[in-house]
């Protein structure tokens, strides 16, 4: 499909003064020819596959030096795309890789589309569709658990059971169609064996579907907002939780004027924590904007940590804030327990609609473990164990598996109603189609466009 097109792209992040190496990648039949035009390898270095050459990138006409670099050669089919691939390993930064890329384009290469290298790997049989999606998940991983789930997909742990289930469905379909065409020449169909096979497939499909919510959390993370009145210790809580001075902490109410963000990992789940301005009525125009942003952040959050003071207890201000967010999952955080007497803590009251309560002394880093446990308990009622996940499907795969499950259940119903064999084949083909969409054995161009458009350029 792509034999006549050689593509090129920068394959590493381009950040000024932040990277020692920058890579420009080419794939296609002219990749090596372009490299020979631009790269000068001194001495008698052999231009062989899977060798690294040392030399210089020069302008092909003026011979002006562009960069000192390494050149990696990977000839087809032993490459990521199963095409000829070369990589210029240049000095990092913005200019060297941009200059090298521009020279490659001037020599006839085309700038790659997002995910086009991985798309070629899929179309050339190097990866199936689940593995290709796992590549994107691996690049975008935000926690160790997400990395492990992506690596499991890359190693084929999702594709293998899907292929086996589809192969079994194809075998069943072949048996049924043979009986339809040659009923008199074949022994009767073993209906019991077919029902048992369908039950096994449905069990496998249901187990895979059960990982969809966990997979979504691993990929998108959990958005948690710390909310409360001014000076209850919200910023201190964020600093204690993130183990750094992320937010400014003073005794003055209204110190936090804007939403402060921190990225954490809790139980293998990426968590975006937002510390917000204390909610109160104020005449200060800047603080008023901060309060409105706090309310907006709370409405968009997956979970709200409502912080109150142990010394003052539940106040009218806390009640007002709670009424605004009570439709969201809420954990009540009773902070500054180090300053409260035992009697004050024991008599502290709050709405009985709040199910989860945690006591902390953020100034002394106390109660953070209990807070994280409460958060995990709040997610799927504690059934989520993202750190132990071996595999997690994405939304596209879940949608296809759901269609496959419905089709298989319809086949079971058809068998139970003792309908003719022709009726069995209709939904069986639907299950085969849905399972094939997951691995890419049956997939449309529009689906491929949607999947690979989310990749970064150069991957």
């Amino acid at each position: 499909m792509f034999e006549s097109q050689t593509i090129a792209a920068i394959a590493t992040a381009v950040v000024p003064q932040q990277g020692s190496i920058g890579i420009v990648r080419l794939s296609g039949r002219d990749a090596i020819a372009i490299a020979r035009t631009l790269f000068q390898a001194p001495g008698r270095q052999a231009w062989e596959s899977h060798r690294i050459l040392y030399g210089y990138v020069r302008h092909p006409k003026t011979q002006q030096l562009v960069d000192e670099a390494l050149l990696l050669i990977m000839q087809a089919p032993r490459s990521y795309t199963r095409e000829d691939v070369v990589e210029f390993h240049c000095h990092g930064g913005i200019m060297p890789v941009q200059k090298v890329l521009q020279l490659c384009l001037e020599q006839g290469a085309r700038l790659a589309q997002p995910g086009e290298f991985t798309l070629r790997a899929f179309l050339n049989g190097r990866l199936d569709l689940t593995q290709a999606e796992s590549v994107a998940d691996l690049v975008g991983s935000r926690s160790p658990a997400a990395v492990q789930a992506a690596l499991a997909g890359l190693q084929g742990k999702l594709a293998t059971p899907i292929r086996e289930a589809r192969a079994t469905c194809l075998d069943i379909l072949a048996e049924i169609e043979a009986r339809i065409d040659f009923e008199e020449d074949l022994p009767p169909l073993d209906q019991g064996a077919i029902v048992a096979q369908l039950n096994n497939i449905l069990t496998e499909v249901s187990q895979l579907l059960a990982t969809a919510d966990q997979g979504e959390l691993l990929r998108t993370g959990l958005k948690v907002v710390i909310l409360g009145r001014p000076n209850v210790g919200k910023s201190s809580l964020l600093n204690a939780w993130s183990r750094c001075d992320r937010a400014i902490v003073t005794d003055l109410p209204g110190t936090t004027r804007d939403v402060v963000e921190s990225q954490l990992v809790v139980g293998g789940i990426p968590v975006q924590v937002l510390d917000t301005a204390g909610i109160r009525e104020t005449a200060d125009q800047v603080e008023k904007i901060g309060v409105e942003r706090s309310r907006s952040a709370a409405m968009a959050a997956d979970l709200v940590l409502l912080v109150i003071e142990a010394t003052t207890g539940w106040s009218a201000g806390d009640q007002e804030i709670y009424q605004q967010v009570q439709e969201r999952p809420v954990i009540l955080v009773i902070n500054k327990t180090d300053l409260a007497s035992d009697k004050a803590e024991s008599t502290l009251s709050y709405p009985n609609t709040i199910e989860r309560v945690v006591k902390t002394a953020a100034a002394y880093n106390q109660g953070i473990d209990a807070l994280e446990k409460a958060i995990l308990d709040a997610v799927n009622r504690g059934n989520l164990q993202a750190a132990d996940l071996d595999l997690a499907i994405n939304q596209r795969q879940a949608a296809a598996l759901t269609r496959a499950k419905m089709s298989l259940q319809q086949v079971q119903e058809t068998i139970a109603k003792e309908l003719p064999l022709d009726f069995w084949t209709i939904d069986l083909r639907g299950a085969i189609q849905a399972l094939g969409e997951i691995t890419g054995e049956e997939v449309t161009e529009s689906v491929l466009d949607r999947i690979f458009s989310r990749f970064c350029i150069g991957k």
Side-chain angles (χ1 to χ4, degrees):
M1 179 176 181
F2 293 112
E3 288 83 356
S4 62
Q5 297 178 305
T6 297
I7 56 173
I10 298 172
T12 48
V14 179
V15 182
Q17 300 177 339
Q18 295 295 316
S20 60
I21 299 293
I23 298 175
V24 176
R25 176 181 294 162
L26 292 91
S27 179
R29 68 177 186 182
D30 296 327
I32 296 176
I34 292 174
R36 283 187 175 275
T37 302
L38 302 178
F39 192 79
Q40 182 184 77
R44 298 182 178 179
Q45 301 178 66
W47 285 68
E48 297 176 353
S49 184
H50 293 77
R51 279 184 175 271
I52 297 177
L53 308 182
Y54 162 78
Y56 305 94
V57 180
R58 294 185 180 276
H59 192 286
K61 293 182 179 179
T62 66
Q63 292 301 300
Q64 180 182 2
L65 179 64
V66 175
D67 195 15
E68 181 184 26
L70 299 176
L71 183 72
L72 174 60
I73 304 170
M74 292 168 282
Q75 289 182 305
R78 296 172 57 208
S79 71
Y80 182 66
T81 61
R82 282 193 173 168
E83 301 174 333
D84 287 345
V85 172
V86 296
E87 291 181 351
F88 293 90
H89 290 230
C90 312
H91 286 92
I94 296 177
M95 294 311 299
V97 289
Q98 291 284 5
K99 287 184 176 180
V100 173
L101 175 62
Q102 184 59 40
L103 287 177
C104 292
L105 299 180
E106 290 174 2
Q107 296 306 305
R110 171 177 61 77
L111 185 64
Q113 298 295 318
E116 190 170 353
F117 289 94
T118 304
L119 174 60
R120 292 189 176 200
F122 164 70
L123 293 174
N124 291 329
R126 171 71 171 75
L127 303 170
D128 66 43
L129 202 52
T130 66
Q131 291 173 312
E133 289 175 300
S134 294
V135 170
D137 289 339
L138 186 60
V139 173
S141 295
R142 296 163 54 193
S143 71
V147 169
Q148 291 306 310
L151 287 174
L154 194 54
Q155 292 168 357
K157 289 187 177 180
L158 173 60
T160 298
I162 294 298
R163 282 204 187 94
E164 290 174 352
R166 187 170 184 270
T168 302
C169 288
L170 285 168
D171 289 342
I172 295 172
L173 181 62
E175 286 284 328
I176 295 171
E177 290 185 333
R179 295 310 188 284
I180 294 173
D181 295 334
F182 308 104
E183 183 177 5
E184 297 178 356
D185 301 326
L186 295 171
L189 196 65
D190 190 343
Q191 183 172 312
I194 289 177
V195 170
Q197 288 176 309
L198 292 174
N199 286 335
N200 290 337
I201 296 172
L202 276 168
T203 299
E204 184 70 46
V205 168
S206 297
Q207 289 174 346
L208 291 172
L209 274 171
T211 70
D213 290 339
Q214 293 95 322
E216 186 65 16
L217 267 178
L218 286 179
R219 293 178 182 92
T220 63
L222 192 69
K223 182 179 288 187
V224 176
V225 169
I226 303 175
L227 210 62
R229 292 180 292 107
N231 215 33
V232 295
K234 299 185 299 298
S235 297
S236 295
L237 181 64
L238 174 64
N239 289 343
W241 195 5
S242 61
R243 295 175 177 82
C244 69
D245 293 334
R246 188 71 180 83
I248 299 172
V249 177
T250 74
D251 293 330
L252 299 174
T255 301
T256 302
R257 297 299 185 95
D258 204 351
V259 176
V260 179
E261 179 181 334
S262 188
Q263 300 289 338
L264 304 173
V265 176
V266 177
I269 304 171
V271 178
Q272 179 189 20
V273 185
L274 304 176
D275 174 30
T276 61
I279 296 181
R280 65 172 179 175
E281 294 300 324
T282 176
D284 186 307
Q285 191 63 32
V286 176
E287 186 179 355
K288 186 179 292 185
I289 295 172
V291 170
E292 287 306 313
R293 289 184 178 181
S294 297
R295 292 192 174 105
S296 298
M299 292 302 101
D302 299 308
L303 181 65
V304 174
L305 304 183
L306 178 54
V307 184
I308 68 171
E309 282 188 287
T311 52
T312 59
W314 188 265
S315 68
D318 298 321
Q319 180 65 31
E320 183 180 346
I321 296 171
Y322 178 59
Q323 288 176 347
Q324 297 174 29
V325 299
Q326 59 183 336
E327 299 302 320
R328 315 297 299 171
V330 175
I331 295 177
L332 179 62
V333 180
I334 303 173
N335 194 30
K336 300 186 180 181
T337 56
D338 54 306
L339 302 178
S341 64
D342 293 340
K343 182 179 180 180
E345 279 195 58
S346 62
T347 58
L348 192 150
S349 63
Y350 47 84
N352 56 17
T353 51
I354 299 179
E355 298 180 1
R356 295 177 178 83
V357 181
V358 177
K359 295 181 179 181
T360 63
Y364 296 94
N365 296 332
Q366 295 175 6
I368 301 303
D369 290 343
L371 175 61
E372 292 188 346
K373 183 179 184 302
I375 290 173
L376 291 177
D377 287 341
V379 179
N380 287 348
R381 297 181 179 179
N383 292 328
L384 181 66
Q385 296 179 346
D388 300 324
L389 276 179
D390 186 41
L391 185 66
I393 63 174
N394 61 31
Q395 288 182 332
R396 184 194 74 85
Q397 295 159 356
L401 278 172
T402 300
R403 293 199 308 274
K405 183 178 181 179
M406 293 174 62
S407 294
L408 292 168
Q409 289 172 334
Q410 189 61 44
V411 175
Q412 288 183 322
E413 187 176 338
T414 300
I415 294 173
K417 290 180 178 179
E418 298 182 351
L419 295 175
L421 294 180
D422 303 74
F423 289 84
W424 298 24
T425 64
I426 297 172
D427 292 300
L428 199 54
R429 287 195 181 94
I432 292 168
Q433 169 76 26
L435 293 171
E437 288 177 12
I438 298 172
T439 56
E441 290 162 289
E442 299 192 43
V443 67
T444 63
E445 186 174 341
S446 62
V447 171
L448 292 179
D449 289 342
R450 189 165 66 250
I451 291 172
F452 288 100
S453 65
R454 296 194 291 265
F455 280 60
C456 59
I457 294 176
K459 193 58 183 172

